[in-house]
Amino acid sequence: MTITTEPDARWRLTAQYVRQETTGWVRNENGNSYGVQNETGAPDLVSVMATNGIRGYAYRTDLEEADGTAAMRTFRSPQDAVDWQKARRGKSFPIPVYDVAGKTVVGEFVVEADRGGPGENNDNVLSGELPTGPGSSTACALPKGEQGIPRTAPEAIWALDRKVAVPSAPTTFGPATTTGGIAKCFAHNPSGALFAAAHMLSVTWQDGPAAVVTKYAVDSPEKVWVLDSLNTRAASLPDPVPQIKGYRITMDGPDKAIVQMAISLKGSLVSGQMNLEWAGSDWTIDASSVLSSLGAPINDLTGYTPWAGA
């Protein structure tokens, strides 16, 4: 932590230990649970702030229909997801916001499909506010789920991020949101780290190491130093385009993950390593690890779990 002050300034830093415990949702007179999303999922009525500034509740089923969660369950191929996104491009989807009883409408919560553009994903943007802060989890929180390292390849919808195939599981492992081409909101478990690493790898290879540090590293003096170093190098890695073929994961407690990817590159296999850290509400990348994390040759997939979308 760095604190910069004027010579005559007075300041005080206080650290306080806080114990946080997730409690069960309350039910209204109609038997519907209500509250905020947490590691166990979402209640029947999800607390939101309407576009008029009034805080109320949106039905979970309405949110899932608007943000694609319901549609995702019907997809059978990446093309299904692409077609669904194209059909929604540029449209807005207002959702009624109710009082705690789920009967009286007090406002609306809007899901807007991104207008897209050349090389951009067409993803959903929420208009309104889902609550954040201690005890409420984050707006994009996914259930923590299984904490074991996945020994078999997790189910995923694979789609191209420009040229690199990347996996998605929006309701389980993430990303739950993608805005401006930046995939965010991954589950706080090894599988969530794996999906996050795959998206970070795609950004690293196609936009350059500086881009992945800018988008996925926590702001810090180290980040500034790493970016200064990276900006003196090539903006991006050269062709050919890599494709993920397998993975292996090492966890250092629940909040640190080393994800090693086996990558197919010009007929050969190389490794790509992403060192991730959990920072409050999502997986972030260890900025210093990006300086030397890609390109070591490997002979085969021995020691890796096969996992590929292309």
Side-chain angles (χ1 to χ4, degrees):
M1 178 179 294
T2 301
I3 300 174
T4 303
T5 70
E6 297 297 327
D8 58 346
R10 299 180 61 188
W11 56 272
R12 179 174 62 185
L13 178 66
T14 302
Q16 181 176 355
Y17 179 81
V18 178
R19 182 176 183 271
Q20 180 174 310
E21 181 179 354
T22 301
T23 60
W25 294 302
V26 183
R27 293 188 177 275
N28 62 18
E29 59 189 20
N30 298 313
N32 292 318
S33 58
Y34 63 92
V36 299
Q37 301 179 70
N38 57 39
E39 62 265 26
T40 63
D44 300 318
L45 289 162
V46 180
S47 178
V48 299
M49 182 175 288
T51 54
N52 60 8
I54 297 177
R55 188 170 293 279
Y57 299 87
Y59 278 99
R60 183 189 69 245
T61 51
D62 289 345
L63 289 170
E64 290 180 346
E65 286 290 338
D67 68 15
T69 300
M72 189 273 293
R73 301 188 185 109
T74 69
F75 297 157
R76 294 294 179 265
S77 69
Q79 188 59 46
D80 290 344
V82 172
D83 292 342
W84 179 83
Q85 290 173 336
K86 288 182 178 179
R88 295 165 53 89
R89 183 180 301 172
K91 297 180 181 178
S92 298
F93 301 88
I95 300 171
V97 176
Y98 298 88
D99 62 5
V100 70
K103 293 182 177 180
T104 302
V105 176
V106 298
E108 68 177 21
F109 187 79
V110 180
V111 175
E112 297 180 350
D114 187 65
R115 297 184 183 279
E120 295 182 1
N121 292 325
N122 303 311
D123 306 293
N124 300 320
V125 179
L126 301 181
S127 176
E129 177 190 348
L130 288 169
T132 61
S136 70
S137 191
T138 59
C140 60
L142 293 173
K144 284 187 176 180
E146 176 58 49
Q147 292 298 305
I149 293 174
R151 301 302 180 186
T152 58
E155 292 187 7
I157 297 172
W158 291 83
L160 289 180
D161 171 18
R162 291 164 289 176
K163 296 181 180 180
V164 177
V166 292
S168 296
T171 61
T172 51
F173 306 129
T177 65
T178 305
T179 304
I182 306 175
K184 291 282 189 176
C185 306
F186 296 91
H188 189 186
N189 57 36
S191 295
L194 172 61
F195 278 70
H199 284 265
M200 293 178 191
L201 177 82
S202 175
V203 171
T204 302
W205 208 280
Q206 299 190 99
D207 299 326
V212 77
V213 172
T214 300
K215 295 176 180 179
Y216 288 103
V218 174
D219 290 337
S220 67
E222 180 188 52
K223 177 179 179 179
V224 175
W225 174 79
V226 171
L227 285 174
D228 285 343
S229 177
L230 289 172
N231 285 331
T232 64
R233 307 181 184 187
S236 61
L237 296 171
D239 285 337
V241 176
Q243 299 297 345
I244 297 168
K245 295 300 178 183
Y247 68 86
R248 60 186 180 192
I249 305 172
T250 302
M251 299 297 297
D252 181 9
D255 296 338
K256 291 187 178 181
I258 299 175
V259 182
Q260 293 174 298
M261 298 285 190
I263 302 166
S264 173
L265 186 65
K266 199 168 24 178
S268 301
L269 288 175
V270 299
S271 67
Q273 180 170 307
M274 296 284 145
N275 291 18
L276 308 188
E277 296 182 5
W278 184 261
S281 62
D282 209 352
W283 287 106
T284 63
I285 196 164
D286 177 357
S288 62
S289 69
V290 177
L291 291 172
S292 58
S293 60
L294 296 173
I298 56 178
N299 295 324
D300 51 41
L301 292 179
T302 301
Y304 291 83
T305 300
W307 195 48

